[in-house]
Amino acid sequence: MAKPMKPREPRRNVMIAARMRTGADWSDACILNMSSKGMLLHSEDAPVRGSYLEIRRGAHIIIGRVVWSKPNRFGIQAQDHIPVDGLVQNSDRSPTTDATATGIVERRAYSRSVQLAHEKSRTIGRLIEFGTFLMVAALATVLVGGVAVEIIFEPMAKAEGALAAR
C-alpha cells in the first residue's frame, strides 16, 4: 500500500523581479510562487539541481538549494523561513526601507567593519613587506659593498706594497 503524500504548504502566486547569484555570477530571475519554505523561479539560465544560490529583492536575502530544475524554471528550498507577506509588500521598496525587520542593517554594518579591518590589515601587511624589503636591500648593499671593497682594495694594496718595496 502506498504511503499517503504529506500535504504541502500553500503557495502564493506572485510575479516579483529579483536578482539571483549562483557562485560569482549574478543574473535576473522572477519569483513565480512561494511559500515560507521555498520558491518557484523563472530565469534564462536555470541552475542545476543541488546548487546553492542567493535571491535578493529589496531588503530581503534568501539563501536556498535548487531541488529541481527544468529549462528556464526551477524550485528552491530556502535555508531560512521566507517572509512571504513582507517580500510581497516590500517588493518595490529600497533595501533600507525594512532593513531592521530583516537584520540587514546589522549585517551590513558588520560587513563594513570587517571590510575596514581587512583594509587596515592589508595596509599594515604592505608596510611590513616594504620595511622587510628595505632591510634586505640595505643588507645586500652592505654585503656587496664589503665584497667590492675587498675585490678592489686587495689588488691595490698588493700593487702599493710592490711599489713601496722598490
mmCIF file with all atom_site columns, all heavy atoms in Angstrom, residues 2-25:
data_model
loop_
_atom_site.group_PDB
_atom_site.id
_atom_site.type_symbol
_atom_site.label_atom_id
_atom_site.label_alt_id
_atom_site.label_comp_id
_atom_site.label_asym_id
_atom_site.label_entity_id
_atom_site.label_seq_id
_atom_site.pdbx_PDB_ins_code
_atom_site.Cartn_x
_atom_site.Cartn_y
_atom_site.Cartn_z
_atom_site.occupancy
_atom_site.B_iso_or_equiv
_atom_site.pdbx_formal_charge
_atom_site.auth_seq_id
_atom_site.auth_comp_id
_atom_site.auth_asym_id
_atom_site.auth_atom_id
_atom_site.pdbx_PDB_model_num
ATOM 1   N N   . ALA A 1 2  ? 0.569  2.198  -0.837  1.00 0.00 ? 2  ALA A N   1
ATOM 2   C CA  . ALA A 1 2  ? 1.366  3.417  -0.973  1.00 0.00 ? 2  ALA A CA  1
ATOM 3   C C   . ALA A 1 2  ? 1.137  4.345  0.212   1.00 0.00 ? 2  ALA A C   1
ATOM 4   O O   . ALA A 1 2  ? 0.031  4.428  0.745   1.00 0.00 ? 2  ALA A O   1
ATOM 5   C CB  . ALA A 1 2  ? 1.009  4.137  -2.262  1.00 0.00 ? 2  ALA A CB  1
ATOM 6   N N   . LYS A 1 3  ? 2.205  5.010  0.602   1.00 0.00 ? 3  LYS A N   1
ATOM 7   C CA  . LYS A 1 3  ? 2.121  5.984  1.681   1.00 0.00 ? 3  LYS A CA  1
ATOM 8   C C   . LYS A 1 3  ? 1.338  7.197  1.213   1.00 0.00 ? 3  LYS A C   1
ATOM 9   O O   . LYS A 1 3  ? 1.535  7.669  0.097   1.00 0.00 ? 3  LYS A O   1
ATOM 10  C CB  . LYS A 1 3  ? 3.526  6.470  2.037   1.00 0.00 ? 3  LYS A CB  1
ATOM 11  C CG  . LYS A 1 3  ? 4.154  5.827  3.191   1.00 0.00 ? 3  LYS A CG  1
ATOM 12  C CD  . LYS A 1 3  ? 5.452  6.579  3.441   1.00 0.00 ? 3  LYS A CD  1
ATOM 13  C CE  . LYS A 1 3  ? 6.197  6.086  4.610   1.00 0.00 ? 3  LYS A CE  1
ATOM 14  N NZ  . LYS A 1 3  ? 7.445  6.811  4.810   1.00 0.00 ? 3  LYS A NZ  1
ATOM 15  N N   . PRO A 1 4  ? 0.483  7.742  2.049   1.00 0.00 ? 4  PRO A N   1
ATOM 16  C CA  . PRO A 1 4  ? -0.204 8.973  1.638   1.00 0.00 ? 4  PRO A CA  1
ATOM 17  C C   . PRO A 1 4  ? 0.811  10.119 1.603   1.00 0.00 ? 4  PRO A C   1
ATOM 18  O O   . PRO A 1 4  ? 1.706  10.202 2.445   1.00 0.00 ? 4  PRO A O   1
ATOM 19  C CB  . PRO A 1 4  ? -1.260 9.198  2.715   1.00 0.00 ? 4  PRO A CB  1
ATOM 20  C CG  . PRO A 1 4  ? -0.846 8.369  3.873   1.00 0.00 ? 4  PRO A CG  1
ATOM 21  C CD  . PRO A 1 4  ? 0.029  7.266  3.343   1.00 0.00 ? 4  PRO A CD  1
ATOM 22  N N   . MET A 1 5  ? 0.679  10.978 0.605   1.00 0.00 ? 5  MET A N   1
ATOM 23  C CA  . MET A 1 5  ? 1.592  12.104 0.459   1.00 0.00 ? 5  MET A CA  1
ATOM 24  C C   . MET A 1 5  ? 1.332  13.139 1.541   1.00 0.00 ? 5  MET A C   1
ATOM 25  O O   . MET A 1 5  ? 0.190  13.404 1.900   1.00 0.00 ? 5  MET A O   1
ATOM 26  C CB  . MET A 1 5  ? 1.451  12.753 -0.915  1.00 0.00 ? 5  MET A CB  1
ATOM 27  C CG  . MET A 1 5  ? 2.012  11.915 -2.021  1.00 0.00 ? 5  MET A CG  1
ATOM 28  S SD  . MET A 1 5  ? 1.998  12.768 -3.587  1.00 0.00 ? 5  MET A SD  1
ATOM 29  C CE  . MET A 1 5  ? 3.155  14.059 -3.306  1.00 0.00 ? 5  MET A CE  1
ATOM 30  N N   . LYS A 1 6  ? 2.410  13.684 2.051   1.00 0.00 ? 6  LYS A N   1
ATOM 31  C CA  . LYS A 1 6  ? 2.321  14.735 3.051   1.00 0.00 ? 6  LYS A CA  1
ATOM 32  C C   . LYS A 1 6  ? 1.821  16.000 2.355   1.00 0.00 ? 6  LYS A C   1
ATOM 33  O O   . LYS A 1 6  ? 2.369  16.389 1.313   1.00 0.00 ? 6  LYS A O   1
ATOM 34  C CB  . LYS A 1 6  ? 3.708  14.965 3.644   1.00 0.00 ? 6  LYS A CB  1
ATOM 35  C CG  . LYS A 1 6  ? 3.765  15.976 4.732   1.00 0.00 ? 6  LYS A CG  1
ATOM 36  C CD  . LYS A 1 6  ? 5.196  16.068 5.257   1.00 0.00 ? 6  LYS A CD  1
ATOM 37  C CE  . LYS A 1 6  ? 5.331  17.195 6.215   1.00 0.00 ? 6  LYS A CE  1
ATOM 38  N NZ  . LYS A 1 6  ? 6.714  17.336 6.689   1.00 0.00 ? 6  LYS A NZ  1
ATOM 39  N N   . PRO A 1 7  ? 0.770  16.639 2.874   1.00 0.00 ? 7  PRO A N   1
ATOM 40  C CA  . PRO A 1 7  ? 0.271  17.840 2.191   1.00 0.00 ? 7  PRO A CA  1
ATOM 41  C C   . PRO A 1 7  ? 1.320  18.945 2.235   1.00 0.00 ? 7  PRO A C   1
ATOM 42  O O   . PRO A 1 7  ? 1.993  19.146 3.241   1.00 0.00 ? 7  PRO A O   1
ATOM 43  C CB  . PRO A 1 7  ? -0.971 18.235 2.987   1.00 0.00 ? 7  PRO A CB  1
ATOM 44  C CG  . PRO A 1 7  ? -0.832 17.547 4.298   1.00 0.00 ? 7  PRO A CG  1
ATOM 45  C CD  . PRO A 1 7  ? 0.038  16.347 4.080   1.00 0.00 ? 7  PRO A CD  1
ATOM 46  N N   . ARG A 1 8  ? 1.476  19.601 1.101   1.00 0.00 ? 8  ARG A N   1
ATOM 47  C CA  . ARG A 1 8  ? 2.471  20.674 1.071   1.00 0.00 ? 8  ARG A CA  1
ATOM 48  C C   . ARG A 1 8  ? 1.843  21.993 1.474   1.00 0.00 ? 8  ARG A C   1
ATOM 49  O O   . ARG A 1 8  ? 0.630  22.187 1.384   1.00 0.00 ? 8  ARG A O   1
ATOM 50  C CB  . ARG A 1 8  ? 3.155  20.758 -0.284  1.00 0.00 ? 8  ARG A CB  1
ATOM 51  C CG  . ARG A 1 8  ? 2.343  21.364 -1.374  1.00 0.00 ? 8  ARG A CG  1
ATOM 52  C CD  . ARG A 1 8  ? 3.191  21.434 -2.624  1.00 0.00 ? 8  ARG A CD  1
ATOM 53  N NE  . ARG A 1 8  ? 2.546  22.334 -3.562  1.00 0.00 ? 8  ARG A NE  1
ATOM 54  C CZ  . ARG A 1 8  ? 3.035  22.654 -4.717  1.00 0.00 ? 8  ARG A CZ  1
ATOM 55  N NH1 . ARG A 1 8  ? 4.171  22.146 -5.108  1.00 0.00 ? 8  ARG A NH1 1
ATOM 56  N NH2 . ARG A 1 8  ? 2.401  23.479 -5.503  1.00 0.00 ? 8  ARG A NH2 1
ATOM 57  N N   . GLU A 1 9  ? 2.701  22.878 1.898   1.00 0.00 ? 9  GLU A N   1
ATOM 58  C CA  . GLU A 1 9  ? 2.276  24.193 2.352   1.00 0.00 ? 9  GLU A CA  1
ATOM 59  C C   . GLU A 1 9  ? 1.677  24.975 1.178   1.00 0.00 ? 9  GLU A C   1
ATOM 60  O O   . GLU A 1 9  ? 2.159  24.868 0.050   1.00 0.00 ? 9  GLU A O   1
ATOM 61  C CB  . GLU A 1 9  ? 3.510  24.924 2.895   1.00 0.00 ? 9  GLU A CB  1
ATOM 62  C CG  . GLU A 1 9  ? 3.217  26.241 3.515   1.00 0.00 ? 9  GLU A CG  1
ATOM 63  C CD  . GLU A 1 9  ? 4.471  26.905 4.076   1.00 0.00 ? 9  GLU A CD  1
ATOM 64  O OE1 . GLU A 1 9  ? 5.532  26.285 4.093   1.00 0.00 ? 9  GLU A OE1 1
ATOM 65  O OE2 . GLU A 1 9  ? 4.344  28.060 4.492   1.00 0.00 ? 9  GLU A OE2 1
ATOM 66  N N   . PRO A 1 10 ? 0.624  25.759 1.426   1.00 0.00 ? 10 PRO A N   1
ATOM 67  C CA  . PRO A 1 10 ? 0.030  26.530 0.329   1.00 0.00 ? 10 PRO A CA  1
ATOM 68  C C   . PRO A 1 10 ? 1.046  27.495 -0.281  1.00 0.00 ? 10 PRO A C   1
ATOM 69  O O   . PRO A 1 10 ? 1.869  28.071 0.413   1.00 0.00 ? 10 PRO A O   1
ATOM 70  C CB  . PRO A 1 10 ? -1.114 27.304 0.983   1.00 0.00 ? 10 PRO A CB  1
ATOM 71  C CG  . PRO A 1 10 ? -1.260 26.779 2.358   1.00 0.00 ? 10 PRO A CG  1
ATOM 72  C CD  . PRO A 1 10 ? -0.055 25.969 2.679   1.00 0.00 ? 10 PRO A CD  1
ATOM 73  N N   . ARG A 1 11 ? 0.958  27.630 -1.579  1.00 0.00 ? 11 ARG A N   1
ATOM 74  C CA  . ARG A 1 11 ? 1.850  28.537 -2.312  1.00 0.00 ? 11 ARG A CA  1
ATOM 75  C C   . ARG A 1 11 ? 1.114  29.828 -2.617  1.00 0.00 ? 11 ARG A C   1
ATOM 76  O O   . ARG A 1 11 ? -0.095 29.837 -2.815  1.00 0.00 ? 11 ARG A O   1
ATOM 77  C CB  . ARG A 1 11 ? 2.277  27.899 -3.641  1.00 0.00 ? 11 ARG A CB  1
ATOM 78  C CG  . ARG A 1 11 ? 2.895  26.545 -3.487  1.00 0.00 ? 11 ARG A CG  1
ATOM 79  C CD  . ARG A 1 11 ? 4.352  26.687 -3.388  1.00 0.00 ? 11 ARG A CD  1
ATOM 80  N NE  . ARG A 1 11 ? 4.967  25.406 -3.071  1.00 0.00 ? 11 ARG A NE  1
ATOM 81  C CZ  . ARG A 1 11 ? 6.227  25.278 -2.816  1.00 0.00 ? 11 ARG A CZ  1
ATOM 82  N NH1 . ARG A 1 11 ? 7.006  26.321 -2.838  1.00 0.00 ? 11 ARG A NH1 1
ATOM 83  N NH2 . ARG A 1 11 ? 6.733  24.115 -2.514  1.00 0.00 ? 11 ARG A NH2 1
ATOM 84  N N   . ARG A 1 12 ? 1.863  30.894 -2.684  1.00 0.00 ? 12 ARG A N   1
ATOM 85  C CA  . ARG A 1 12 ? 1.292  32.186 -3.056  1.00 0.00 ? 12 ARG A CA  1
ATOM 86  C C   . ARG A 1 12 ? 1.823  32.539 -4.434  1.00 0.00 ? 12 ARG A C   1
ATOM 87  O O   . ARG A 1 12 ? 3.033  32.656 -4.630  1.00 0.00 ? 12 ARG A O   1
ATOM 88  C CB  . ARG A 1 12 ? 1.700  33.249 -2.045  1.00 0.00 ? 12 ARG A CB  1
ATOM 89  C CG  . ARG A 1 12 ? 1.080  34.578 -2.351  1.00 0.00 ? 12 ARG A CG  1
ATOM 90  C CD  . ARG A 1 12 ? 1.124  35.447 -1.145  1.00 0.00 ? 12 ARG A CD  1
ATOM 91  N NE  . ARG A 1 12 ? 0.544  36.738 -1.434  1.00 0.00 ? 12 ARG A NE  1
ATOM 92  C CZ  . ARG A 1 12 ? 0.446  37.692 -0.567  1.00 0.00 ? 12 ARG A CZ  1
ATOM 93  N NH1 . ARG A 1 12 ? 0.870  37.502 0.671   1.00 0.00 ? 12 ARG A NH1 1
ATOM 94  N NH2 . ARG A 1 12 ? -0.085 38.850 -0.881  1.00 0.00 ? 12 ARG A NH2 1
ATOM 95  N N   . ASN A 1 13 ? 0.913  32.679 -5.392  1.00 0.00 ? 13 ASN A N   1
ATOM 96  C CA  . ASN A 1 13 ? 1.311  33.040 -6.750  1.00 0.00 ? 13 ASN A CA  1
ATOM 97  C C   . ASN A 1 13 ? 1.666  34.521 -6.800  1.00 0.00 ? 13 ASN A C   1
ATOM 98  O O   . ASN A 1 13 ? 0.880  35.366 -6.365  1.00 0.00 ? 13 ASN A O   1
ATOM 99  C CB  . ASN A 1 13 ? 0.190  32.739 -7.751  1.00 0.00 ? 13 ASN A CB  1
ATOM 100 C CG  . ASN A 1 13 ? -0.005 31.255 -7.927  1.00 0.00 ? 13 ASN A CG  1
ATOM 101 O OD1 . ASN A 1 13 ? 0.946  30.489 -7.900  1.00 0.00 ? 13 ASN A OD1 1
ATOM 102 N ND2 . ASN A 1 13 ? -1.249 30.829 -8.091  1.00 0.00 ? 13 ASN A ND2 1
ATOM 103 N N   . VAL A 1 14 ? 2.832  34.818 -7.318  1.00 0.00 ? 14 VAL A N   1
ATOM 104 C CA  . VAL A 1 14 ? 3.328  36.191 -7.417  1.00 0.00 ? 14 VAL A CA  1
ATOM 105 C C   . VAL A 1 14 ? 4.083  36.337 -8.734  1.00 0.00 ? 14 VAL A C   1
ATOM 106 O O   . VAL A 1 14 ? 4.282  35.367 -9.455  1.00 0.00 ? 14 VAL A O   1
ATOM 107 C CB  . VAL A 1 14 ? 4.278  36.546 -6.238  1.00 0.00 ? 14 VAL A CB  1
ATOM 108 C CG1 . VAL A 1 14 ? 3.537  36.547 -4.924  1.00 0.00 ? 14 VAL A CG1 1
ATOM 109 C CG2 . VAL A 1 14 ? 5.469  35.619 -6.188  1.00 0.00 ? 14 VAL A CG2 1
ATOM 110 N N   . MET A 1 15 ? 4.520  37.516 -8.999  1.00 0.00 ? 15 MET A N   1
ATOM 111 C CA  . MET A 1 15 ? 5.405  37.761 -10.127 1.00 0.00 ? 15 MET A CA  1
ATOM 112 C C   . MET A 1 15 ? 6.313  38.919 -9.703  1.00 0.00 ? 15 MET A C   1
ATOM 113 O O   . MET A 1 15 ? 5.992  40.076 -9.897  1.00 0.00 ? 15 MET A O   1
ATOM 114 C CB  . MET A 1 15 ? 4.630  38.097 -11.397 1.00 0.00 ? 15 MET A CB  1
ATOM 115 C CG  . MET A 1 15 ? 5.470  38.019 -12.635 1.00 0.00 ? 15 MET A CG  1
ATOM 116 S SD  . MET A 1 15 ? 4.420  38.157 -14.074 1.00 0.00 ? 15 MET A SD  1
ATOM 117 C CE  . MET A 1 15 ? 4.839  36.635 -14.859 1.00 0.00 ? 15 MET A CE  1
ATOM 118 N N   . ILE A 1 16 ? 7.425  38.552 -9.049  1.00 0.00 ? 16 ILE A N   1
ATOM 119 C CA  . ILE A 1 16 ? 8.322  39.542 -8.456  1.00 0.00 ? 16 ILE A CA  1
ATOM 120 C C   . ILE A 1 16 ? 9.702  39.404 -9.090  1.00 0.00 ? 16 ILE A C   1
ATOM 121 O O   . ILE A 1 16 ? 10.305 38.334 -9.043  1.00 0.00 ? 16 ILE A O   1
ATOM 122 C CB  . ILE A 1 16 ? 8.431  39.344 -6.930  1.00 0.00 ? 16 ILE A CB  1
ATOM 123 C CG1 . ILE A 1 16 ? 7.055  39.480 -6.273  1.00 0.00 ? 16 ILE A CG1 1
ATOM 124 C CG2 . ILE A 1 16 ? 9.420  40.332 -6.334  1.00 0.00 ? 16 ILE A CG2 1
ATOM 125 C CD1 . ILE A 1 16 ? 7.053  39.126 -4.805  1.00 0.00 ? 16 ILE A CD1 1
ATOM 126 N N   . ALA A 1 17 ? 10.195 40.503 -9.651  1.00 0.00 ? 17 ALA A N   1
ATOM 127 C CA  . ALA A 1 17 ? 11.548 40.507 -10.211 1.00 0.00 ? 17 ALA A CA  1
ATOM 128 C C   . ALA A 1 17 ? 12.558 40.468 -9.078  1.00 0.00 ? 17 ALA A C   1
ATOM 129 O O   . ALA A 1 17 ? 12.362 41.080 -8.025  1.00 0.00 ? 17 ALA A O   1
ATOM 130 C CB  . ALA A 1 17 ? 11.764 41.752 -11.064 1.00 0.00 ? 17 ALA A CB  1
ATOM 131 N N   . ALA A 1 18 ? 13.634 39.735 -9.276  1.00 0.00 ? 18 ALA A N   1
ATOM 132 C CA  . ALA A 1 18 ? 14.675 39.609 -8.256  1.00 0.00 ? 18 ALA A CA  1
ATOM 133 C C   . ALA A 1 18 ? 16.024 39.411 -8.936  1.00 0.00 ? 18 ALA A C   1
ATOM 134 O O   . ALA A 1 18 ? 16.090 39.206 -10.149 1.00 0.00 ? 18 ALA A O   1
ATOM 135 C CB  . ALA A 1 18 ? 14.369 38.423 -7.342  1.00 0.00 ? 18 ALA A CB  1
ATOM 136 N N   . ARG A 1 19 ? 17.076 39.471 -8.141  1.00 0.00 ? 19 ARG A N   1
ATOM 137 C CA  . ARG A 1 19 ? 18.434 39.187 -8.616  1.00 0.00 ? 19 ARG A CA  1
ATOM 138 C C   . ARG A 1 19 ? 18.849 37.851 -8.013  1.00 0.00 ? 19 ARG A C   1
ATOM 139 O O   . ARG A 1 19 ? 18.503 37.535 -6.872  1.00 0.00 ? 19 ARG A O   1
ATOM 140 C CB  . ARG A 1 19 ? 19.417 40.275 -8.189  1.00 0.00 ? 19 ARG A CB  1
ATOM 141 C CG  . ARG A 1 19 ? 19.179 41.615 -8.820  1.00 0.00 ? 19 ARG A CG  1
ATOM 142 C CD  . ARG A 1 19 ? 19.505 41.664 -10.292 1.00 0.00 ? 19 ARG A CD  1
ATOM 143 N NE  . ARG A 1 19 ? 20.954 41.580 -10.468 1.00 0.00 ? 19 ARG A NE  1
ATOM 144 C CZ  . ARG A 1 19 ? 21.553 41.266 -11.600 1.00 0.00 ? 19 ARG A CZ  1
ATOM 145 N NH1 . ARG A 1 19 ? 20.863 40.989 -12.658 1.00 0.00 ? 19 ARG A NH1 1
ATOM 146 N NH2 . ARG A 1 19 ? 22.855 41.209 -11.672 1.00 0.00 ? 19 ARG A NH2 1
ATOM 147 N N   . MET A 1 20 ? 19.578 37.076 -8.788  1.00 0.00 ? 20 MET A N   1
ATOM 148 C CA  . MET A 1 20 ? 19.976 35.748 -8.361  1.00 0.00 ? 20 MET A CA  1
ATOM 149 C C   . MET A 1 20 ? 21.485 35.604 -8.524  1.00 0.00 ? 20 MET A C   1
ATOM 150 O O   . MET A 1 20 ? 22.043 35.985 -9.548  1.00 0.00 ? 20 MET A O   1
ATOM 151 C CB  . MET A 1 20 ? 19.250 34.707 -9.227  1.00 0.00 ? 20 MET A CB  1
ATOM 152 C CG  . MET A 1 20 ? 19.706 33.293 -9.002  1.00 0.00 ? 20 MET A CG  1
ATOM 153 S SD  . MET A 1 20 ? 18.805 32.120 -10.043 1.00 0.00 ? 20 MET A SD  1
ATOM 154 C CE  . MET A 1 20 ? 19.553 32.416 -11.633 1.00 0.00 ? 20 MET A CE  1
ATOM 155 N N   . ARG A 1 21 ? 22.120 35.055 -7.492  1.00 0.00 ? 21 ARG A N   1
ATOM 156 C CA  . ARG A 1 21 ? 23.563 34.803 -7.580  1.00 0.00 ? 21 ARG A CA  1
ATOM 157 C C   . ARG A 1 21 ? 23.819 33.319 -7.410  1.00 0.00 ? 21 ARG A C   1
ATOM 158 O O   . ARG A 1 21 ? 23.417 32.707 -6.439  1.00 0.00 ? 21 ARG A O   1
ATOM 159 C CB  . ARG A 1 21 ? 24.321 35.570 -6.503  1.00 0.00 ? 21 ARG A CB  1
ATOM 160 C CG  . ARG A 1 21 ? 25.835 35.335 -6.598  1.00 0.00 ? 21 ARG A CG  1
ATOM 161 C CD  . ARG A 1 21 ? 26.578 36.189 -5.647  1.00 0.00 ? 21 ARG A CD  1
ATOM 162 N NE  . ARG A 1 21 ? 26.316 35.747 -4.285  1.00 0.00 ? 21 ARG A NE  1
ATOM 163 C CZ  . ARG A 1 21 ? 27.181 35.875 -3.294  1.00 0.00 ? 21 ARG A CZ  1
ATOM 164 N NH1 . ARG A 1 21 ? 28.334 36.455 -3.501  1.00 0.00 ? 21 ARG A NH1 1
ATOM 165 N NH2 . ARG A 1 21 ? 26.879 35.466 -2.091  1.00 0.00 ? 21 ARG A NH2 1
ATOM 166 N N   . THR A 1 22 ? 24.479 32.754 -8.395  1.00 0.00 ? 22 THR A N   1
ATOM 167 C CA  . THR A 1 22 ? 24.957 31.380 -8.313  1.00 0.00 ? 22 THR A CA  1
ATOM 168 C C   . THR A 1 22 ? 26.465 31.444 -8.470  1.00 0.00 ? 22 THR A C   1
ATOM 169 O O   . THR A 1 22 ? 26.959 31.910 -9.495  1.00 0.00 ? 22 THR A O   1
ATOM 170 C CB  . THR A 1 22 ? 24.334 30.497 -9.410  1.00 0.00 ? 22 THR A CB  1
ATOM 171 O OG1 . THR A 1 22 ? 24.529 31.125 -10.676 1.00 0.00 ? 22 THR A OG1 1
ATOM 172 C CG2 . THR A 1 22 ? 22.863 30.272 -9.187  1.00 0.00 ? 22 THR A CG2 1
ATOM 173 N N   . GLY A 1 23 ? 27.181 31.047 -7.452  1.00 0.00 ? 23 GLY A N   1
ATOM 174 C CA  . GLY A 1 23 ? 28.644 31.188 -7.486  1.00 0.00 ? 23 GLY A CA  1
ATOM 175 C C   . GLY A 1 23 ? 28.990 32.664 -7.453  1.00 0.00 ? 23 GLY A C   1
ATOM 176 O O   . GLY A 1 23 ? 28.567 33.402 -6.584  1.00 0.00 ? 23 GLY A O   1
ATOM 177 N N   . ALA A 1 24 ? 29.745 33.115 -8.462  1.00 0.00 ? 24 ALA A N   1
ATOM 178 C CA  . ALA A 1 24 ? 30.140 34.528 -8.523  1.00 0.00 ? 24 ALA A CA  1
ATOM 179 C C   . ALA A 1 24 ? 29.299 35.302 -9.537  1.00 0.00 ? 24 ALA A C   1
ATOM 180 O O   . ALA A 1 24 ? 29.485 36.499 -9.701  1.00 0.00 ? 24 ALA A O   1
ATOM 181 C CB  . ALA A 1 24 ? 31.615 34.633 -8.893  1.00 0.00 ? 24 ALA A CB  1
ATOM 182 N N   . ASP A 1 25 ? 28.391 34.625 -10.219 1.00 0.00 ? 25 ASP A N   1
ATOM 183 C CA  . ASP A 1 25 ? 27.619 35.251 -11.293 1.00 0.00 ? 25 ASP A CA  1
ATOM 184 C C   . ASP A 1 25 ? 26.246 35.716 -10.815 1.00 0.00 ? 25 ASP A C   1
ATOM 185 O O   . ASP A 1 25 ? 25.542 34.990 -10.121 1.00 0.00 ? 25 ASP A O   1
ATOM 186 C CB  . ASP A 1 25 ? 27.427 34.268 -12.454 1.00 0.00 ? 25 ASP A CB  1
ATOM 187 C CG  . ASP A 1 25 ? 28.751 33.814 -13.043 1.00 0.00 ? 25 ASP A CG  1
ATOM 188 O OD1 . ASP A 1 25 ? 29.676 34.642 -13.100 1.00 0.00 ? 25 ASP A OD1 1
ATOM 189 O OD2 . ASP A 1 25 ? 28.844 32.639 -13.437 1.00 0.00 ? 25 ASP A OD2 1
#
